[in-house]
């Protein structure tokens, strides 16, 4: 028994010894051999398989706590360039890995890692080359099944502390470098189990102070993640240093900061949702690649409520605020815009990838992105534009600028609400509001342009003309709409008002006034392009002025001022001998309902004759209505003014002003004009200067199909000739005798002068033709002076007529005045004789006489008389009827109803019966006709300058009725 116990005790001691020895060996292996093997194998692997060198500091392993610690590791290239290093790596494993059938790590901690990340010129990454080279005989690993679960791994905490990454990209034209330090990363309770949420945190800072924070959780099965991230103070210079000219502009200043959330899922398909509650750009500045001065400066750009969804391919932004932006642009001498130049440079840097024919992801097959922006607001912005294509260069400072766009989105037919308030050099200029549709592109906007200074456009004016625009303010208020649908020409309409105030233009070597006005207002404009048409309700010109000069070479100063400078050549103008320009486009249909002129004036001078002629028009007032470009349109003209301050002039008629050579019918009346003003023309065509005289004219110009028919009624008062000229163009006639024959007793000449001709005749000039016609008339008068006396009576055709009231021989005051004119005309032309006929119209005169007799016995009653008065008058008429007919009247049945008597009907009936019995006898009528002739005779002979033997009373009847029912006497001259 004792021996048995001793045997058992010896066995226990032997087992204890073995266990102790095993533990000692395990400890020795764990504490010493494992670190040695790790060091040796790791360094050999790196040297042999990776072709790099690995230096390790202290390596320790606790076999009882499964804690591995590696210190001061450095991975380098063979040449000694460092690739990566860390100060300490600690890995704490759990024994639970055995029964949990998983890799269970209590802790993984990496302190002060330092990584040199290099992208070489061939786009390869130095870290990617750390993978061992694959042998040609080594088989490809079989791909993992899509639903195969991941190995079970659990890490209580994984942390990276005080990390550093030195990044260098050598694919750039100039190598780009950046440093992120410190870098911190923490992963708590990591598991690869299904749907397990693994929480993580990441933070980094660049050497420039830029920050990145990223936190959230992810699942390994299925692979997905959600969380939040923050980027702070990302500098524009950093972006520019990396892109190095890939953008059309160069980023020179500014910072970008944003924070957001994301939701990522890779199963069953890729789904990514990103939310950016706030994105801020601060002090952003961009310049051209070759220019140091910024072309755009944005002190503040704020984006709120951005949402990005990759699955449904949608982007949503609630609001974009841009404050204080400053943009600079230019137009170069070749006409190119700096903005267009930037776009061209950008297109050169982009190379579109070619899609394979069978590629299912070609742009045509990909679903379209849907996007929407709730509101874009631009406040206190400025736009500086310098146009160097003209000399001197023009600078526009559009400021302040306030623009709001609301409701932008990619939906077909959606509309964007637009409001804009623009200034020019700090002063209010333009306000606009309305809607814009992006697809298809349409716009409907209200415009309000306030007093734009037109003198700023002088360089453009001088480039195209020879005139100078000294002042002018343009204002526009109305609604504009545009549409640009695919396959159809763009359409544009405008409805509103336009006003140009204080316009002043000068031209010529002496910089004399050409055209100016105080105000020109166009209201009720209806303009359309595609189809083209223009309608204007009213144009009002206040104090307009024009200076029209016929120069010595017979050209107009207006044409010379509007002519392009001889040194300039219109863009696209063909060279001599080159192809001819295309035929002119069809003129735009135009209609102007009313044109009003107030306070107008003009100066006209003709330097093509010697001595020169000049006159002015002042106080011009009037209207033009119904102006239209239609060939059959007729505009009514009513204008009046004064020539040289004291000679009234008025213009009236119908004219197609937009095609005056097609049709015109205009009357011009001039009164009290000094004839000495026309001495240049009189001396040239009549051979004498004028020393005295007044001129009044009634002119009518009719143009039909470029054929002119002009009628001139000319009245000359006290014309006296002065010195004779030596003009070779003077007519060889006794001009003074002809004028003497034309003068009446008071020294007045009254002429009718027709002129006709073709406007297509290059020799046709109106003023010389008028003088030629006048001299022709004078020649005719000098040879047959009495042939033209009939046109010199004055008073027109009405002098031949005298109108009497039916049944009366009394001459009204107007007729006496007319006969007085006739008498004075006869007094001035002693050779004339006058026939005055016995005149009557039996039917009308008889009725009038009978009515007069009836009303003398029974006066008529006024309208609205009461029934008692009607009954009384009917009683008087019945008494008169009984006296004349010896019986009582028998009224028709329709003059009485069951209830009452129609008194007016009975009065009308009985008056008609009485008038039939009161008709005058023929001798009475003949006496009335002779009384009328004698009344006219007496009225004419009241002028003692007319001899009685020059008047004859004739029995030839020539009576008729005038339009107003009066009896008209028609007299004859012999």
């Amino acid at each position: 028994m004792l021996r048995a116990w001793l045997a058992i005790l010896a066995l226990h001691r032997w087992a204890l010894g073995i266990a102790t020895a095993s533990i000692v060996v395990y400890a020795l292996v764990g504490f010493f051999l494992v670190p040695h093997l790790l060091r040796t194998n790791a360094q050999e692997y790196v040297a042999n398989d990776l072709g790099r060198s690995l230096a390790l500091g202290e390596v320790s392993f606790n076999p009882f706590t499964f804690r591995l610690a590696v210190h001061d590791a450095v991975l380098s290239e063979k040449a000694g360039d460092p690739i990566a290093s860390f100060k300490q790596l600690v890995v704490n494993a759990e024994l639970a890995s055995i029964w949990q059938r998983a890799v269970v790590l209590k802790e993984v901690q990496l302190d002060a890692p330092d990584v040199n990340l290099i992208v070489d010129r061939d786009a390869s990454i130095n870290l990617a080359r750390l993978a061992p080279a694959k042998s040609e005989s080594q088989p490809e690993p079989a791909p993992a099944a899509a639903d195969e679960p991941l190995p079970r791994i659990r890490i209580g905490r994984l942390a990276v502390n005080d990390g550093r990454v030195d990044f260098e990209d050598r694919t750039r034209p100039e190598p780009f470098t950046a440093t992120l330090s410190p870098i911190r990363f923490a992963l708590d309770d990591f598991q690869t189990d299904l749907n397990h949420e693994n929480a993580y945190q990441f933070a980094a800072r660049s050497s420039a102070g830029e920050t990145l924070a990223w936190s959230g959780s992810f699942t390994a099965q299925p692979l997905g993640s959600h969380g939040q991230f923050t980027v702070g103070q990302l500098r524009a210079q950093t972006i520019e240093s990396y892109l190095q000219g890939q953008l059309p502009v160069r980023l020179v200043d500014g910072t970008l900061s944003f924070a957001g959330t994301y939701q990522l899922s890779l199963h069953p398909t890729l789904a990514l949702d990103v939310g950016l509650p706030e994105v801020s750009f601060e002090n952003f500045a961009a310049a051209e690649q070759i220019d140091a001065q910024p072309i755009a400066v944005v002190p503040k750009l704020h984006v709120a409520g951005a949402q990005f969804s990759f699955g449904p391919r949608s982007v949503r932004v609630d609001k974009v605020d841009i404050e204080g932006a400053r943009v600079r642009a230019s137009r170069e001498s070749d006409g190119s815009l700096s903005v267009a130049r930037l776009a061209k440079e950008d297109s050169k840097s982009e190379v579109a990838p070619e899609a394979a024919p069978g590629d299912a992801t070609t742009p045509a097959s990909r679903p379209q992105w849907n996007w929407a922006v709730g509101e874009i607001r631009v406040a206190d912005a400025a736009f500086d534009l310098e146009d160097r294509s003209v000399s001197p260069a023009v600078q526009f400072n559009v400021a302040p600028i306030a623009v709001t766009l609301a409701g932008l989105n990619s939906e077909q037919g959606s509309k964007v609400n637009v409001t804009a308030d623009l200034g020019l050099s700090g002063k209010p200029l333009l306000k606009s509001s309305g809607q814009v549709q992006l697809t298809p592109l349409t716009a409907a906007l209200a415009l309000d342009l306030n007093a734009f200074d037109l003198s700023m456009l002088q360089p453009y004016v001088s480039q195209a003309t020879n005139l100078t625009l000294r002042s002018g303010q343009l204002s526009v208020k109305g609604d504009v709409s545009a549409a640009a649908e695919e396959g159809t020409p763009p359409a544009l309409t405008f409805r509103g008002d336009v006003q140009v105030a204080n316009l002043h233009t000068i031209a010529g070597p002496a910089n004399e006034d050409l055209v100016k006005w105080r105000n020109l207002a166009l209201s009720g404009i209806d303009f359309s392009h595609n189809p083209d048409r223009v309608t204007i309700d009213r144009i009002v010109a206040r104090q307009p002025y024009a200076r029209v000069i016929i120069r010595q070479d017979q050209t107009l100063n207006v044409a010379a001022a509007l002519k392009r400078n001889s040194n300039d050549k219109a863009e696209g103008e063909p060279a001599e001998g080159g192809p001819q320009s295309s035929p002119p486009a069809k003129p735009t249909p135009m209609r102007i309902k009313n044109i009003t002129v107030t306070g107008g004036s003009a100066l006209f001078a003709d330097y093509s004759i010697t001595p020169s002629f000049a006159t002015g028009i002042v106080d011009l007032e009037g209207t033009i209505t119904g102006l239209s470009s239609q060939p059959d349109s007729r505009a009514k003209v009513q204008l009046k003014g004064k020539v040289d301050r004291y000679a009234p002039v008025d213009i009236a008629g119908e004219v197609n002003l937009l095609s005056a050579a097609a049709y015109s019918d205009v009357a011009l009346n001039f009164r009290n004009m000094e004839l000495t003003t026309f001495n240049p023309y009189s001396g040239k065509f009549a051979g004498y200067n004028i020393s005295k005289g007044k001129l009044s004219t009634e002119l009518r110009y009719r143009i039909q199909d470029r054929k002119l028919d002009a009628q001139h009624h000319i009245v000359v008062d006290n014309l006296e000739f002065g010195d004779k000229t030596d003009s070779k163009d003077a007519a060889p006639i006794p001009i003074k005798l002809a004028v003497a024959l034309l003068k009446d007793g008071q020294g007045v000449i009254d002429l009718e002068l027709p002129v006709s001709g073709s406007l297509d005749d290059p020799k046709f000039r109106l003023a010389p033709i008028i003088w030629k016609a006048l001299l022709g008339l004078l020649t005719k008068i000098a040879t047959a002076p009495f042939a033209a006396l009939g046109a010199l009576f004055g008073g027109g055709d009405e002098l031949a007529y005298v109108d009497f009231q039916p049944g009366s021989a009394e001459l009204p005051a107007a007729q006496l005045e007319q006969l007085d004119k006739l008498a004075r005309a006869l007094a001035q032309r002693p050779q004339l004789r006058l026939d005055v006929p016995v005149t009557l119209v039996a039917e009308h005169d008889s009725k009038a006489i009978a009515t007069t007799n009836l009303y003398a016995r029974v006066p008529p009653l006024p309208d609205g008389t009461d029934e008692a008065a009607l009954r009384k008058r009917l009683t008087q008429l019945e008494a008169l009827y009984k006296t004349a007919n010896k019986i009582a009247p028998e009224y028709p049945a329709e003059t009485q109803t069951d209830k009452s008597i129609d008194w007016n009907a009975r009065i009308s009936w009985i008056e008609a019966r009485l008038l039939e019995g009161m008709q005058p006898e023929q001798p009475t009528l003949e006496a009335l006709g002779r009384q009328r002739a004698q009344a006219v005779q007496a009225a004419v002979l009241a002028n003692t300058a007319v001899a009685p033997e020059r008047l004859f009373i004739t029995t030839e009847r020539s009576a008729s009725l005038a339009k107003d029912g009066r009896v008209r006497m028609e007299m004859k001259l012999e």
Side-chain angles (χ1 to χ4, degrees):
M1 186 68 178
L2 177 60
R3 183 176 294 178
W5 279 105
L6 289 175
I8 293 173
L9 180 61
L11 181 61
H12 278 282
R13 287 178 179 176
W14 181 77
L16 181 61
I18 292 175
T20 301
S22 299
I23 293 174
V24 171
V25 172
Y26 175 76
L28 291 174
V29 171
F31 282 109
F32 298 104
L33 183 59
V34 169
H36 173 74
L37 293 176
L38 287 176
R39 179 191 301 274
T40 303
N41 291 333
Q43 290 177 335
E44 289 180 355
Y45 174 79
V46 170
N48 298 331
D49 291 28
L50 303 183
R52 309 293 192 276
S53 63
L54 175 64
L56 297 176
E58 180 184 355
V59 179
S60 62
F61 176 73
N62 189 329
F64 300 106
T65 62
F66 295 98
R67 182 180 185 273
L68 173 66
V70 181
H71 298 270
D72 301 323
V74 178
L75 177 66
S76 305
E77 299 283 357
K78 285 185 177 181
D81 297 331
I83 299 176
S85 65
F86 57 81
K87 185 177 181 180
Q88 177 180 259
L89 170 63
V90 176
V91 179
N92 275 341
E94 292 279 355
L95 191 59
S97 300
I98 299 174
W99 59 79
Q100 291 187 9
R101 297 181 180 180
V103 177
V104 180
L105 301 177
K106 181 179 181 181
E107 179 184 21
V108 177
Q109 180 173 315
L110 181 64
D111 293 332
D114 191 343
V115 179
N116 289 331
L117 179 60
I118 300 174
V119 181
D120 280 332
R121 292 191 177 279
D122 61 357
S124 64
I125 301 175
N126 63 334
L127 297 182
R129 292 197 296 271
L130 294 179
K134 184 182 297 184
S135 173
E136 294 183 0
S137 61
Q138 183 177 355
E140 292 286 341
D147 297 330
E148 183 178 347
L150 295 174
R152 298 185 64 193
I153 300 175
R154 295 182 180 180
I155 302 175
R157 176 174 175 79
L158 188 152
V160 177
N161 301 320
D162 297 326
R164 176 187 177 98
V165 173
D166 292 309
F167 174 74
E168 182 178 0
D169 188 349
R170 297 174 182 173
T171 63
R172 307 284 92 193
E174 294 293 334
F176 169 79
T177 61
T179 300
L180 292 179
S181 176
I183 297 175
R184 294 183 177 86
F185 177 73
L187 179 61
D188 294 326
D189 190 21
F190 171 76
Q191 298 182 27
T192 58
D193 294 345
L194 184 65
N195 297 325
H196 181 76
E197 297 280 345
N198 301 296
Y200 67 90
Q201 289 184 346
F202 176 86
R205 177 184 295 271
S206 72
S207 57
E210 301 151 325
T211 61
L212 171 62
W214 185 10
S215 63
S217 62
F218 69 92
T219 58
Q221 295 187 91
L223 185 58
S225 179
H226 64 87
Q228 51 277 338
F229 54 89
T230 302
V231 173
Q233 300 297 308
L234 177 60
R235 300 172 69 239
Q237 293 92 328
T238 301
I239 302 174
E240 176 60 33
S241 297
Y242 180 76
L243 295 177
Q244 295 184 16
Q246 285 186 291
L247 293 177
V249 295
R250 183 167 51 88
L251 306 180
V252 296
D253 198 7
T255 59
L256 167 64
S257 298
F258 58 89
T261 61
Y262 74 95
Q263 183 82 31
L264 173 65
S265 174
L266 298 177
H267 185 79
T269 59
L270 172 62
L272 175 62
D273 293 329
V274 179
L276 295 171
E278 183 175 354
V279 180
S280 295
F281 292 85
E282 301 288 341
N283 299 318
F284 175 82
E288 293 189 56
Q289 300 292 349
I290 59 175
D291 191 357
Q293 295 296 323
I295 61 172
V297 176
V298 184
K300 183 177 180 181
L301 190 156
H302 183 264
V303 180
Q307 295 287 334
F308 167 87
S309 295
F310 182 81
R313 302 176 72 87
S314 67
V315 178
R316 297 289 185 270
V317 176
D318 289 343
K319 188 173 184 181
V320 178
D321 278 324
I322 303 173
E323 295 186 7
R326 300 291 184 270
V327 179
R328 178 172 59 89
S330 62
R331 182 176 184 235
E332 303 304 327
S333 57
D334 60 357
S336 64
L337 291 173
S338 59
V339 177
R341 183 171 65 249
L342 295 176
K344 187 180 297 184
E345 292 176 356
D346 186 35
S347 64
K348 290 181 179 178
S349 65
E350 294 180 359
V351 178
E354 294 185 2
D359 188 0
T361 61
T362 57
S365 63
R366 294 173 183 167
Q368 296 294 323
W369 280 88
N370 296 319
W371 57 269
V373 181
E375 180 181 85
I376 299 178
R377 185 181 69 90
V378 179
D380 194 25
F383 177 62
D384 292 314
L385 174 63
E386 182 178 11
D387 192 346
R388 301 167 186 163
S389 65
V390 294
S391 181
V394 181
Q395 293 185 343
F396 297 96
N397 173 239
V398 184
I401 299 175
V403 178
T404 300
L405 306 176
L408 289 87
N409 61 72
S410 58
E411 293 183 8
Q412 185 81 10
S414 65
K415 297 184 183 297
V416 180
N417 294 320
V418 179
T419 60
D421 194 345
L422 310 181
L424 186 64
S425 300
K427 297 181 180 179
L429 176 65
L430 174 67
K431 291 184 178 181
S432 179
S433 62
Q435 290 186 331
V436 176
Q437 180 177 292
L438 300 180
T439 52
L441 182 60
T442 61
L445 301 172
L447 299 179
D448 189 355
L449 178 67
N450 180 36
F452 172 67
D453 186 1
L454 293 175
S455 64
M456 297 180 65
L457 305 179
Q458 174 54 38
Y460 303 98
V461 175
S462 61
Q463 191 178 41
T465 68
N466 291 316
L467 61 84
T468 299
L469 181 59
R470 279 194 167 178
S471 66
Q473 293 86 42
L474 171 66
S475 298
V476 179
K477 189 170 185 178
D479 299 320
V480 62
S481 60
E485 296 187 14
E486 185 177 356
T488 61
L492 176 69
T493 62
F494 172 77
R495 293 180 177 86
D497 304 330
V498 175
Q499 185 176 147
V500 179
N502 301 317
L503 182 76
H504 186 188
T505 63
I506 59 176
N511 285 331
E512 296 172 313
D513 292 342
L514 180 66
V515 175
K516 62 181 181 179
W517 59 68
R518 181 178 179 182
N519 190 62
L520 178 67
L522 290 75
S523 57
I525 300 174
D526 188 348
F527 167 80
S528 173
H529 174 60
N530 283 335
D532 294 344
R533 61 176 176 81
V534 178
T535 299
I536 302 175
D537 285 344
R538 189 178 185 190
I539 298 178
V540 178
R542 302 185 187 278
Q543 298 182 12
Y545 170 83
R547 185 174 182 270
V548 182
I549 305 296
I550 300 177
R551 304 192 299 190
Q552 291 182 349
D553 60 358
Q554 297 187 352
T555 61
L556 280 174
N557 66 327
V558 177
L562 296 179
K563 186 178 180 181
R564 178 183 296 274
N565 290 325
S566 59
N567 295 331
D568 298 332
K569 193 168 187 178
E571 181 178 354
E573 182 179 338
E576 294 184 5
Q580 298 296 322
S581 59
S582 58
K586 185 178 180 181
T588 300
M590 180 177 293
R591 181 186 178 196
I592 303 175
K593 296 180 181 179
N594 181 278
I595 299 177
T596 301
V597 179
T598 61
S601 58
L603 173 67
F604 173 77
D606 189 350
Y607 296 141
S608 65
I609 60 175
T610 303
S612 61
F613 168 79
T615 186
I617 299 177
V618 297
D619 298 337
L620 184 63
E621 311 272 345
T623 60
I624 301 174
T625 58
L627 185 62
S628 174
S629 60
Q630 292 293 333
D632 58 349
S633 67
R634 304 291 183 263
K636 294 183 179 180
V637 180
Q638 288 286 343
L639 297 172
K640 62 180 180 178
K642 295 179 181 178
V643 177
D644 290 335
R645 297 182 62 186
Y646 302 108
V649 57
D650 59 80
I651 304 172
E654 294 184 346
V655 61
N656 187 337
L657 289 180
L658 300 180
S659 182
Y663 179 84
S664 295
D665 189 357
V666 181
L668 299 87
N669 297 325
F670 297 86
R671 296 178 293 280
N672 198 42
M673 295 179 62
E674 293 289 347
L675 280 173
T676 54
T677 303
F678 299 94
N679 261 336
Y681 296 109
S682 174
K684 183 175 182 178
F685 298 110
Y688 288 91
N689 287 326
I690 298 174
S691 62
K692 178 184 177 183
K694 295 278 189 177
L695 172 66
S696 297
T697 65
E698 295 179 0
L699 314 178
R700 183 172 181 178
Y701 294 93
R702 181 179 178 85
I703 300 176
Q704 186 77 36
D705 297 328
R706 302 187 64 81
K707 301 295 183 181
L708 173 66
D709 178 15
Q711 302 295 326
H712 304 82
H713 180 202
I714 303 173
V715 178
V716 181
D717 188 8
N718 287 309
L719 172 63
E720 298 291 343
F721 285 114
D723 297 334
K724 185 176 182 180
T725 65
D726 296 329
S727 173
K728 296 180 181 179
D729 296 323
I733 62 170
I735 188 69
K736 288 189 175 182
L737 174 61
V739 170
L741 290 172
L742 285 173
K743 288 184 180 179
D744 61 12
Q746 288 73 38
V748 176
I749 300 175
D750 195 328
L751 297 177
E752 296 287 346
L753 188 65
V755 172
S756 61
S758 173
L759 300 182
D760 295 324
D761 185 352
K763 297 181 180 180
F764 184 85
R765 290 185 61 207
L766 187 58
I769 289 179
I770 292 175
W771 276 107
K772 183 177 180 180
L774 177 59
L775 293 177
L777 178 62
L778 293 176
T779 301
K780 182 178 180 180
I781 293 174
T783 57
F786 295 103
L789 290 178
L792 303 176
F793 289 159
D797 294 340
E798 291 299 319
L799 287 179
Y801 305 107
V802 179
D803 293 338
F804 295 91
Q805 291 293 341
S808 173
E810 184 179 354
L811 288 170
Q815 297 298 309
L816 289 173
E817 182 179 355
Q818 192 81 342
L819 290 173
D820 180 63
K821 291 180 181 179
L822 175 61
R824 284 188 276 118
L826 291 173
Q828 294 175 12
R829 301 293 184 268
Q831 293 82 6
L832 290 179
R833 293 183 298 177
L834 181 66
D835 291 345
V836 181
V838 175
T839 301
L840 60 89
V841 177
E843 180 182 356
H844 289 74
D845 284 330
S846 295
K847 183 177 180 180
I849 293 172
T851 302
T852 300
N853 292 335
L854 174 61
Y855 288 166
R857 297 184 183 185
V858 182
L861 295 176
D863 294 337
T865 304
D866 58 14
E867 181 179 340
L870 292 174
R871 295 177 65 181
K872 180 179 178 181
R873 186 166 186 271
L874 183 60
T875 301
Q876 295 173 343
L877 292 173
E878 289 176 344
L880 185 61
Y881 184 90
K882 292 177 180 178
T883 301
N885 297 284
K886 307 304 182 182
I887 59 175
E890 296 182 3
Y891 296 108
E894 58 267 19
T895 63
Q896 184 173 355
T897 64
D898 296 339
K899 297 181 179 181
S900 62
I901 295 174
D902 188 343
W903 302 105
N904 286 315
R906 287 195 171 187
I907 290 174
S908 297
W909 181 87
I910 197 171
E911 280 185 351
R913 307 287 83 74
L914 290 172
L915 288 174
E916 291 174 357
M918 293 183 178
Q919 295 291 322
E921 301 292 336
Q922 185 63 28
T924 302
L925 291 175
E926 292 180 355
L928 174 62
R930 181 165 292 274
Q931 289 171 5
R932 288 170 173 168
Q934 291 172 347
V936 172
Q937 181 186 46
V940 173
L941 295 180
N943 189 329
T944 58
V946 180
E949 56 269 21
R950 296 173 56 197
L951 267 75
F952 298 87
I953 296 177
T954 67
T955 58
E956 182 179 355
R957 302 295 177 87
S958 61
S960 61
L961 289 178
K963 292 181 179 180
D964 57 359
R966 293 184 296 174
V967 176
R968 168 160 288 187
M969 173 190 291
E970 182 178 359
M971 299 175 291
K972 293 184 178 180
L973 287 172
E974 294 183 357

